[in-house]
Amino acid sequence: RDLTERRKDESRMQELQAELVHVARLSAMGEMASSLAHEVNQPLSAIVNYLSGARRLLSDPSVKNLSLIETAFEGAADQALRAGDIIRRLRQFVSRGKVAHQGDSLSEIVGDAVGLGLVGSHRQNVALRIDPLADRVVCDRIQVQQVLVNLMRNAIEAMQGSDRRELVVASARAQRDMVEVSVSDTGPGLPEDVAQRLFEPFVTSKPTGMGVGLSICRTIVESHGGRIWSEQRPEGGCVFRFTLPQEA
């Protein structure tokens, strides 16, 4: 009976953790709503402009060069695909599915996370660099994207007052068949008192932050058998590192 009760408690704890992780994704999307609306509105506006231009060309009998019209339609199609890609990433990110650790492409996971994490960053003049990535890891794709989006957006926010704003995502082989992923910035770094307790719940260096994002990141990474930590960069800024199992 004691064993049955313990298993029930463990199962309930896992359900609560999964719910907390999902709520954190929804919260992140709420914070990014205006930037996402702007990001989706750009291709939609471009589609309207391309199609309006094509209609004017079609109604003008003096236009003999059909390649101009074809170019306008191709531009509209490209922008429609761009808008669809943004919506696909968003729907995937907020979905509530069963946690499934399986072999996946780290470069694809990072690519999708960048598409969400850097929403609105071009207006803040943030330069992104993605170093060569170790390709195959064993993970839950959406949860790892959640970790990456959180770390990227924290980095972008930390660099708001910096003259140089560079965000670097990289990975390297680590010990015991693990892959180490890093997200580094050129911000002011972390206060020492905060850095020591950074992954504890309700610890934050943000004036309006709740201090749960990094705690959830730790929960996700540790559920994958990895660990997460931060380091001050000698040249200024901060780097967050976490490990994931490498696919055999």
Side-chain angles (χ1 to χ4, degrees):
R1 185 179 303 145
D2 289 344
L3 184 59
T4 300
E5 288 298 321
R6 188 170 67 189
R7 285 176 176 169
K8 284 183 179 179
D9 290 343
E10 289 174 352
S11 177
R12 180 57 180 157
M13 182 63 69
Q14 290 175 352
E15 290 175 3
L16 289 172
Q17 282 187 338
E19 183 68 22
L20 179 61
V21 167
H22 183 247
V23 169
R25 286 204 297 275
L26 296 178
S27 176
M29 288 300 96
E31 293 175 2
M32 295 161 60
S34 61
S35 294
L36 281 165
H38 177 80
E39 199 76 9
V40 174
N41 189 57
Q42 283 187 321
L44 295 180
S45 298
I47 290 169
V48 171
N49 292 334
Y50 275 123
L51 294 180
S52 296
R55 183 172 62 182
R56 285 196 301 272
L57 291 169
L58 286 169
S59 63
D60 187 347
S62 66
V63 175
K64 306 297 183 183
N65 189 353
L66 295 180
S67 65
L68 293 174
I69 299 172
E70 290 176 359
T71 299
F73 281 127
E74 288 172 0
D78 288 343
Q79 293 299 314
L81 291 173
R82 178 187 166 196
D85 198 40
I86 295 169
I87 298 301
R88 175 189 64 80
R89 288 173 177 152
L90 179 59
R91 289 183 62 184
Q92 182 188 58
F93 190 73
V94 300
S95 65
R96 186 203 306 269
K98 290 185 177 180
V99 175
H101 293 190
Q102 59 189 21
D104 213 328
S105 166
L106 180 59
S107 57
E108 291 181 7
I109 293 171
V110 169
D112 277 350
V114 164
L116 290 175
L118 266 69
V119 164
S121 63
H122 58 280
R123 286 174 283 173
Q124 300 179 41
N125 298 317
V126 174
L128 170 70
R129 191 177 88 233
I130 300 178
D131 285 350
L133 296 167
D135 195 48
R136 303 294 299 182
V137 293
V138 178
C139 68
D140 178 271
R141 168 182 281 250
I142 305 303
Q143 288 193 352
V144 173
Q145 284 180 9
Q146 183 172 358
V147 173
L148 287 164
V149 167
N150 188 290
L151 295 181
M152 286 187 227
R153 295 195 66 79
N154 282 353
I156 291 168
E157 188 170 336
M159 293 187 289
Q160 283 182 353
S162 302
D163 295 330
R164 178 168 162 256
R165 302 175 188 178
E166 184 179 34
L167 177 68
V168 180
V169 182
S171 72
R173 298 286 174 87
Q175 295 179 344
R176 303 196 317 275
D177 298 322
M178 303 292 280
V179 172
E180 181 184 295
V181 185
S182 63
V183 178
S184 60
D185 63 62
T186 54
L190 292 166
E192 188 62 31
D193 59 329
V194 174
Q196 292 177 355
R197 301 184 299 118
L198 196 57
F199 297 98
E200 297 176 13
F202 312 116
V203 174
T204 180
S205 60
K206 301 178 184 179
T208 59
M210 292 183 62
V212 295
L214 289 176
S215 175
I216 288 171
C217 287
R218 184 181 67 177
T219 296
I220 292 172
V221 171
E222 290 181 350
S223 75
H224 284 74
R227 67 186 188 97
I228 184 169
W229 69 100
S230 67
E231 298 173 356
Q232 303 283 53
R233 299 175 71 220
E235 63 272 38
C238 186
V239 55
F240 282 82
R241 304 182 190 276
F242 64 93
T243 55
L244 297 170
Q246 179 185 344
E247 187 179 34

mmCIF file of all heavy atoms in Angstrom, residues 1 16 24 32-33 40 49 72 118 120 122 139 182 231:
data_model
loop_
_atom_site.group_PDB
_atom_site.id
_atom_site.type_symbol
_atom_site.label_atom_id
_atom_site.label_comp_id
_atom_site.label_asym_id
_atom_site.label_seq_id
_atom_site.Cartn_x
_atom_site.Cartn_y
_atom_site.Cartn_z
ATOM 1 N N ARG A 1 0.833 -1.203 0.000
ATOM 2 C CA ARG A 1 0.000 0.000 0.000
ATOM 3 C C ARG A 1 0.870 1.258 0.000
ATOM 4 O O ARG A 1 0.583 2.209 -0.700
ATOM 5 C CB ARG A 1 -0.911 -0.005 1.224
ATOM 6 C CG ARG A 1 -1.905 1.168 1.231
ATOM 7 C CD ARG A 1 -2.805 1.124 2.431
ATOM 8 N NE ARG A 1 -3.530 -0.145 2.508
ATOM 9 C CZ ARG A 1 -3.837 -0.746 3.635
ATOM 10 N NH1 ARG A 1 -3.466 -0.231 4.805
ATOM 11 N NH2 ARG A 1 -4.500 -1.882 3.637
ATOM 12 N N LEU A 16 1.919 17.685 -12.147
ATOM 13 C CA LEU A 16 1.972 19.086 -11.731
ATOM 14 C C LEU A 16 3.156 19.811 -12.359
ATOM 15 O O LEU A 16 3.045 20.970 -12.769
ATOM 16 C CB LEU A 16 2.053 19.168 -10.203
ATOM 17 C CG LEU A 16 0.783 18.782 -9.437
ATOM 18 C CD1 LEU A 16 1.063 18.717 -7.947
ATOM 19 C CD2 LEU A 16 -0.342 19.765 -9.732
ATOM 20 N N ALA A 24 4.065 28.055 -17.970
ATOM 21 C CA ALA A 24 5.184 28.980 -18.195
ATOM 22 C C ALA A 24 5.316 29.330 -19.678
ATOM 23 O O ALA A 24 5.638 30.465 -20.021
ATOM 24 C CB ALA A 24 6.484 28.366 -17.683
ATOM 25 N N MET A 32 5.086 38.064 -24.988
ATOM 26 C CA MET A 32 5.594 38.332 -26.330
ATOM 27 C C MET A 32 4.490 38.686 -27.326
ATOM 28 O O MET A 32 4.755 38.858 -28.507
ATOM 29 C CB MET A 32 6.344 37.093 -26.846
ATOM 30 C CG MET A 32 7.594 36.771 -26.061
ATOM 31 S SD MET A 32 8.152 35.057 -26.316
ATOM 32 C CE MET A 32 8.429 35.059 -28.091
ATOM 33 N N ALA A 33 3.244 38.797 -26.847
ATOM 34 C CA ALA A 33 2.096 38.917 -27.748
ATOM 35 C C ALA A 33 2.222 40.085 -28.726
ATOM 36 O O ALA A 33 1.988 39.934 -29.925
ATOM 37 C CB ALA A 33 0.799 39.046 -26.944
ATOM 38 N N VAL A 40 3.962 38.826 -37.255
ATOM 39 C CA VAL A 40 3.031 38.215 -38.211
ATOM 40 C C VAL A 40 2.463 39.263 -39.153
ATOM 41 O O VAL A 40 2.213 38.993 -40.332
ATOM 42 C CB VAL A 40 1.893 37.483 -37.457
ATOM 43 C CG1 VAL A 40 0.844 36.972 -38.433
ATOM 44 C CG2 VAL A 40 2.460 36.317 -36.649
ATOM 45 N N ASN A 49 0.579 44.115 -50.308
ATOM 46 C CA ASN A 49 1.285 44.995 -51.240
ATOM 47 C C ASN A 49 1.638 44.282 -52.534
ATOM 48 O O ASN A 49 1.482 44.835 -53.634
ATOM 49 C CB ASN A 49 2.557 45.546 -50.584
ATOM 50 C CG ASN A 49 2.255 46.511 -49.457
ATOM 51 O OD1 ASN A 49 1.197 47.137 -49.436
ATOM 52 N ND2 ASN A 49 3.172 46.619 -48.507
ATOM 53 N N ALA A 72 5.671 39.303 -58.530
ATOM 54 C CA ALA A 72 4.787 39.768 -57.462
ATOM 55 C C ALA A 72 4.073 38.597 -56.789
ATOM 56 O O ALA A 72 3.979 38.541 -55.548
ATOM 57 C CB ALA A 72 3.765 40.757 -58.018
ATOM 58 N N LEU A 118 13.812 35.437 -30.662
ATOM 59 C CA LEU A 118 14.331 36.704 -31.165
ATOM 60 C C LEU A 118 13.245 37.600 -31.751
ATOM 61 O O LEU A 118 13.553 38.573 -32.431
ATOM 62 C CB LEU A 118 15.426 36.456 -32.214
ATOM 63 C CG LEU A 118 16.853 36.454 -31.638
ATOM 64 C CD1 LEU A 118 17.051 35.233 -30.751
ATOM 65 C CD2 LEU A 118 17.889 36.471 -32.728
ATOM 66 N N GLY A 120 11.134 40.507 -32.280
ATOM 67 C CA GLY A 120 11.276 41.897 -31.873
ATOM 68 C C GLY A 120 12.704 42.328 -31.598
ATOM 69 O O GLY A 120 12.960 43.508 -31.362
ATOM 70 N N HIS A 122 15.250 42.571 -33.594
ATOM 71 C CA HIS A 122 15.874 43.417 -34.624
ATOM 72 C C HIS A 122 15.680 44.898 -34.310
ATOM 73 O O HIS A 122 16.509 45.724 -34.686
ATOM 74 C CB HIS A 122 15.299 43.083 -36.005
ATOM 75 C CG HIS A 122 13.813 43.251 -36.106
ATOM 76 N ND1 HIS A 122 12.929 42.278 -35.637
ATOM 77 C CD2 HIS A 122 13.058 44.254 -36.594
ATOM 78 C CE1 HIS A 122 11.689 42.696 -35.849
ATOM 79 N NE2 HIS A 122 11.736 43.891 -36.429
ATOM 80 N N CYS A 139 15.854 14.231 -26.398
ATOM 81 C CA CYS A 139 15.160 15.246 -25.598
ATOM 82 C C CYS A 139 13.697 15.331 -25.997
ATOM 83 O O CYS A 139 13.252 14.691 -26.950
ATOM 84 C CB CYS A 139 15.820 16.613 -25.810
ATOM 85 S SG CYS A 139 15.577 17.286 -27.481
ATOM 86 N N SER A 182 25.194 26.286 -25.043
ATOM 87 C CA SER A 182 25.464 27.556 -24.351
ATOM 88 C C SER A 182 24.745 28.706 -25.035
ATOM 89 O O SER A 182 24.586 28.727 -26.255
ATOM 90 C CB SER A 182 26.964 27.841 -24.303
ATOM 91 O OG SER A 182 27.492 27.993 -25.605
ATOM 92 N N GLU A 231 27.763 31.346 -15.924
ATOM 93 C CA GLU A 231 29.129 31.810 -15.692
ATOM 94 C C GLU A 231 29.229 33.256 -16.156
ATOM 95 O O GLU A 231 28.568 33.659 -17.122
ATOM 96 C CB GLU A 231 30.145 30.966 -16.475
ATOM 97 C CG GLU A 231 30.179 29.501 -16.094
ATOM 98 C CD GLU A 231 31.077 28.691 -17.027
ATOM 99 O OE1 GLU A 231 31.611 29.283 -18.012
ATOM 100 O OE2 GLU A 231 31.228 27.484 -16.796
#
